[in-house]
Amino acid sequence: MTTIDEYAAGFAEDPGYLDHAAFGPVQTAVLEEQRVLGTIQAHMRFGAMDTLDEQDARVRAVAARLVGRREDQVVSQTATTPGLLHTAFGITGGVLVAADDYPSMPLALASAASATGGRVRPVVIESGAGWVTPSLVRERLEGAGDEVTAVAVSLVDWRTGYLTDLAAMREAVGDRLLIVDAIQGFGVVDAPYEAADVVATGGQKWLHAGWGTGFVSFSDRALDRLRPALSGPHGTTGWPVEVPSVKPGAAGFTMTRIDPVAQARMAVALERLTAVGVAAVQERVTDRVERVFAIADEFGLEVESSRDPAERAGIVVLRPSEGRLTALSAALHNHGVTTSTRLGTVRVSVFASTTDETLDMFRDACISYATSF
């Protein structure tokens, strides 16, 4: 077992970094794994290919433990979006999805609807409807009837930081497939992922594994109802002596071979997370979020994220008073604080590695903002 302090010590981002929801600075252990696998690729000594081939099983094994699935129910992807695309093209029927959700799922469904002649039908929760809560989903499903065969939600809303209650969402969805875009919470939320039929995530944010990493997991019900439509050679079997057929299980949702170095990066990030425990990471992140709340309150910044610990993860969204977004952005920039600014808000995203020095820099920026009126 790794302590949370030991885990946090494995990150080396500069002070002032508060943008983990956009990109998580790569862990030092991940960089070392990349160096080792890169050296193997450079020399390709006898047996090297075996080591490279082992990375697929390695990442699936640890990912399966974290989402409560078998290894044959997990397949590597290069990011969250490919996993959602595979899912969207495999669905038959209506899929409830929010227009305000991060574009990966709505776009995947729109593409699938266009390509399949209506076999896939997005059923859209209109923009401005608010957080996609279990009660909202239940209400919309009652109006849609049997038309909807699946519901697609984000584990954490990218705009507000709202955290979905997966257990309650499972109850609201019933026998329909529950598809979860987990990228904005995986690694900092100790959620019951086994409640979802599909969980897709990438490693470049809260897992700090860098771009080109990810996986998607499927329940047996999902594998029974979804039909792989984008399988490539590595998602099929039989060739070169037979006409290829799709592999059984999650492996069928593969287009091409995943970079084994990327798989190794993802694997070591997941292994380190398993060693410390997601609950310990979430507890540390919760403490940092409370610190951000306190600073925002001290300087009169409106918080648009939920203050309920059960409804939030590592994201705090701040809305400065009208006409003051530029002033807040400038103050953060001048104090070396990295955040994301969009739609009139500033998104602050903390992690277990966020230091007191970083939070002090954020507070200093808020002082400058408050005194610039």
Side-chain angles (χ1 to χ4, degrees):
M1 175 63 71
T2 302
T3 68
I4 188 62
D5 288 333
E6 290 170 338
Y7 179 73
F11 299 84
E13 73 261 25
D14 282 352
Y17 193 81
L18 290 172
D19 210 12
H20 296 269
F23 178 75
V26 179
Q27 300 183 45
T28 53
V30 169
L31 289 176
E32 176 61 18
E33 196 76 3
Q34 177 176 277
R35 185 193 67 79
V36 171
L37 268 292
T39 299
I40 290 174
Q41 283 188 317
H43 295 283
M44 289 305 294
R45 295 188 176 95
F46 180 79
M49 188 59 75
D50 292 337
T51 300
L52 298 176
D53 288 341
E54 290 167 359
Q55 301 312 310
D56 180 70
R58 178 187 176 192
V59 71
R60 286 189 294 106
V62 65
R65 291 199 298 271
L66 285 166
V67 295
R69 296 294 177 199
R70 303 187 308 271
E71 293 177 30
D72 66 305
Q73 295 174 306
V74 178
V75 61
S76 286
Q77 300 290 329
T78 56
T80 309
T81 297
L84 295 176
L85 277 166
H86 275 291
T87 302
F89 274 80
I91 293 173
T92 296
V95 184
L96 188 68
V97 65
D100 288 335
D101 209 344
Y102 191 78
S104 290
M105 194 68 217
L107 285 174
L109 290 170
S111 296
S114 175
T116 62
R119 176 173 59 81
V120 183
R121 300 183 302 277
V123 179
V124 180
I125 298 173
E126 71 280 3
S127 180
W131 295 339
V132 183
T133 63
S135 59
L136 175 62
V137 167
R138 185 179 292 108
E139 171 192 315
R140 297 307 171 90
L141 288 175
E142 289 174 354
D146 295 335
E147 174 190 2
V148 175
T149 62
V151 174
V153 300
S154 287
L155 177 63
V156 175
D157 179 27
W158 67 288
R159 300 164 306 139
T160 66
Y162 171 74
L163 170 62
T164 296
D165 182 339
L166 287 186
M169 190 64 74
R170 174 77 271 168
E171 292 184 11
V173 168
D175 188 53
R176 302 171 181 87
L177 293 181
L178 176 57
I179 302 162
V180 177
D181 177 346
I183 184 64
Q184 284 297 7
F186 200 89
V188 291
V189 175
D190 190 19
Y193 294 106
E194 64 277 5
D197 293 291
V198 179
V199 175
T201 193
Q204 79 275 19
K205 296 182 186 288
W206 303 102
L207 292 174
H208 300 78
W211 280 294
T213 59
F215 70 86
V216 59
S217 68
F218 303 92
S219 67
D220 282 333
R221 175 168 52 184
L223 290 173
D224 181 61
R225 297 183 187 180
L226 299 174
R227 293 293 176 264
L230 303 173
S231 306
H234 284 273
T236 59
T237 186
W239 64 277
V241 296
E242 300 175 5
V243 176
S245 59
V246 176
K247 288 181 178 179
F253 295 87
T254 305
M255 292 186 69
T256 187
R257 177 170 183 152
I258 305 297
D259 176 11
V261 178
Q263 290 179 315
R265 287 192 279 118
M266 185 66 158
V268 75
L270 294 174
E271 288 162 358
R272 293 197 73 237
L273 178 63
T274 301
V276 68
V278 182
V281 176
Q282 184 171 3
E283 182 179 2
R284 177 63 64 88
V285 169
T286 297
D287 171 76
R288 299 301 188 256
V289 167
E290 292 289 351
R291 297 273 297 276
V292 174
F293 281 155
I295 294 170
D297 292 343
E298 182 181 359
F299 296 100
L301 283 165
E302 179 184 352
V303 176
E304 292 198 343
S305 302
S306 176
R307 292 179 183 265
D308 183 346
E311 296 180 344
R312 67 169 193 249
I315 294 172
V316 180
V317 176
L318 307 175
R319 183 176 292 278
S321 54
E322 187 173 354
R324 296 288 295 164
L325 178 62
T326 300
L328 178 58
S329 298
L332 292 167
H333 175 82
N334 291 338
H335 285 271
V337 178
T338 303
T339 59
S340 286
T341 301
R342 55 169 59 89
L343 302 175
T345 65
V346 171
R347 188 181 69 180
V348 177
S349 47
V350 300
F351 187 62
S353 58
T354 299
T355 62
D356 291 342
E357 181 181 1
T358 292
L359 293 172
D360 288 343
M361 292 169 67
F362 174 64
R363 184 176 183 277
D364 289 341
C366 289
I367 292 174
S368 295
Y369 163 75
T371 57
S372 65
F373 280 89

